[in-house]
Amino acid sequence: MRALTGIKPTAMPHIGNLLGMIEPALRLQDQHEAYYFIADYHALTTLHDRERMSQYTREVAATWLALGLDPRRTALFAQSDVPEVTELAWLLACVTGIGGLERAHAYKSAQADGRDINVATFLYPVLMAADILIYDSNLVPVGRDQKQHVEMARDMAAAFNSRFGEVFVLPEPLIRDDVATIPGLDGRKMSKSYANTIEVWLPQKALRKKLMGIVTDSKGVDDVKDPDTCNVFGLYKHFASPAQQAALAARYRAPGLGYGHAKQELFEVMDARFAPARERYDALMADGAEIEAVLLDGARRARTVASGVLTRARTAVGLGAAPRAPIL
Ligand code: AMP
């Protein structure tokens, strides 16, 4: 079984990325052959800044490595280092109706926000389908927000197969129910577009400051509170042990706990969780050579698989197995 997932280098990864996708994906590397990529072509739909693109690409790579991605087993690479994926996106676009793309979440939310939408944003699900199908992926670990796009990839694969023969493996999304959608500082889905994110590698002081900004109701220290509807507790439960969770929940339900205290408890569990990996992250970022070597090797392995699948697709539609013209 093969696992595949990607993350856009449009900012430093946040806790939603970490819990919703990175950690579940890291657990898969023990039983599966895994291909994890940095979705720079996708990032380009919104990020038009050379320096930030390369900075965020390094940050995403360093995040995977600091959190335990083993590059000897798992291929970690930049999406654009396997340009075959854009050719496959074209082949898929030729079997994809406009109606389905108009219903895609990313496009609809860009439209609802009144953003100026480029053609690439509209085609996002087609490129994402190519990302998945070009590695014969079986499993795609993602947060719930991406479920629809993985289903669209499956539909495109089925449409292509029924027209041209069995070319693609049909992928399945893998979504952990307990971390399907991580709330941000204001309780809405944690997302760069809502500016409510908590970045994974914030220095201690900045992390504490961010957490102190989590939105709560206005109950005072001596009011009894409900942990189940509180944004602070909603995050705490992902980092605390069951005993810690029970203890803090009991304090919520009795007088004497202010939200500031709860935020301090959250800071402590988060800081304890990230401190060791933060050292590794800082070391990787300080010397880019290791990241470069990992990405280069990952791209080489990914490209071998991708060119085989692309050849299958080209042959199935009646194009040559490889472009005829020599590369100049
Ligand atoms: P993106 O930053 O859009 O490239 O997302 C990378 C991965 O993180 C995708 O699999 C998303 O489903 C996941 N993700 C992003 N935000 C959240 C969130 N708030 N809760 C759970 N998963 C998320």
Side-chain angles (χ1 to χ4, degrees):
M1 292 282 266
R2 217 172 252 169
L4 170 120
T5 197
I7 176 167
K8 285 189 299 229
T10 44
M12 177 186 278
H14 58 69
I15 299 297
N17 301 136
L18 176 94
L19 298 170
M21 189 273 266
I22 298 177
E23 287 193 340
L26 285 171
R27 277 191 283 275
L28 291 180
Q29 41 171 15
D30 297 333
Q31 311 97 26
H32 302 284
E33 190 182 328
Y35 291 81
Y36 296 160
F37 67 95
I38 302 167
D40 49 6
Y41 280 143
H42 287 294
L44 207 48
T45 61
T46 55
L47 178 64
H48 298 164
D49 179 323
R50 186 184 313 120
E51 299 300 323
R52 285 167 63 206
M53 178 73 86
S54 76
Q55 170 73 12
Y56 294 145
T57 298
R58 284 198 304 279
E59 288 181 0
V60 173
T63 298
W64 278 109
L65 294 168
L67 292 171
L69 182 138
D70 176 356
R72 286 164 304 178
R73 283 186 290 170
T74 297
L76 178 69
F77 58 98
Q79 181 185 25
S80 64
D81 283 338
V82 187
E84 285 79 358
V85 77
T86 56
E87 184 177 345
L88 185 59
W90 182 258
L91 302 192
L92 293 172
C94 295
V95 295
T96 304
I98 286 182
L101 295 181
E102 280 172 342
R103 286 189 293 277
H105 287 320
Y107 172 66
K108 277 190 7 193
S109 77
Q111 236 184 0
D113 296 349
R115 272 183 266 157
D116 192 11
I117 304 167
N118 55 36
V119 176
T121 299
F122 185 65
L123 287 176
Y124 187 140
V126 181
L127 181 57
M128 180 161 160
D131 291 327
I132 296 170
L133 301 178
I134 206 162
Y135 301 106
D136 280 343
S137 314
N138 308 97
L139 283 179
V140 188
V142 282
R144 174 154 304 144
D145 59 328
Q146 288 292 348
K147 179 169 187 270
Q148 184 203 33
H149 291 153
V150 180
E151 285 166 356
M152 289 172 79
R154 198 182 157 88
D155 291 346
M156 285 179 224
F160 192 99
N161 285 354
S162 79
R163 208 158 304 178
F164 298 113
E166 290 300 305
V167 173
F168 296 122
V169 171
L170 300 191
E172 295 280 352
L174 185 82
I175 298 166
R176 275 185 54 198
D177 277 339
D178 54 332
V179 291
T181 305
I182 301 297
L185 295 172
D186 56 2
R188 291 186 292 171
K189 177 195 143 184
M190 187 176 291
S191 166
K192 287 158 245 183
S193 31
Y194 295 144
N196 64 358
T197 52
I198 303 168
E199 290 69 28
V200 177
W201 308 111
L202 289 176
Q204 280 180 324
K205 239 174 110 177
L207 175 62
R208 183 186 277 112
K209 192 164 166 222
K210 268 242 154 146
L211 299 183
M212 291 299 156
I214 296 175
V215 176
T216 60
D217 59 34
S218 54
K219 285 189 176 146
V221 175
D222 288 326
D223 294 323
V224 168
K225 302 176 185 66
D226 180 5
D228 299 328
T229 57
C230 175
N231 293 332
V232 183
F233 197 84
L235 286 167
Y236 183 77
K237 64 183 185 208
H238 294 295
F239 298 97
S241 66
Q244 286 172 315
Q245 289 177 47
L248 187 62
R251 288 176 65 200
Y252 264 78
R253 296 191 179 103
L257 176 98
Y259 285 120
H261 303 133
K263 290 173 182 176
Q264 178 63 25
E265 297 287 333
L266 173 61
F267 167 74
E268 278 165 27
V269 285
M270 283 183 69
D271 187 51
R273 169 81 159 268
F274 293 124
R278 193 188 288 129
E279 271 184 39
R280 169 101 176 100
Y281 175 84
D282 290 340
L284 283 158
M285 288 302 289
D287 164 22
E290 185 176 341
I291 294 176
E292 275 309 305
V294 166
L295 294 182
L296 193 68
D297 181 56
R300 189 184 46 74
R301 283 149 59 195
R303 220 170 165 187
T304 306
V305 179
S307 58
V309 177
L310 178 62
T311 295
R312 235 162 52 209
R314 285 179 60 109
T315 310
V317 300
L319 303 175
R324 266 181 213 117
I327 295 169
L328 299 175

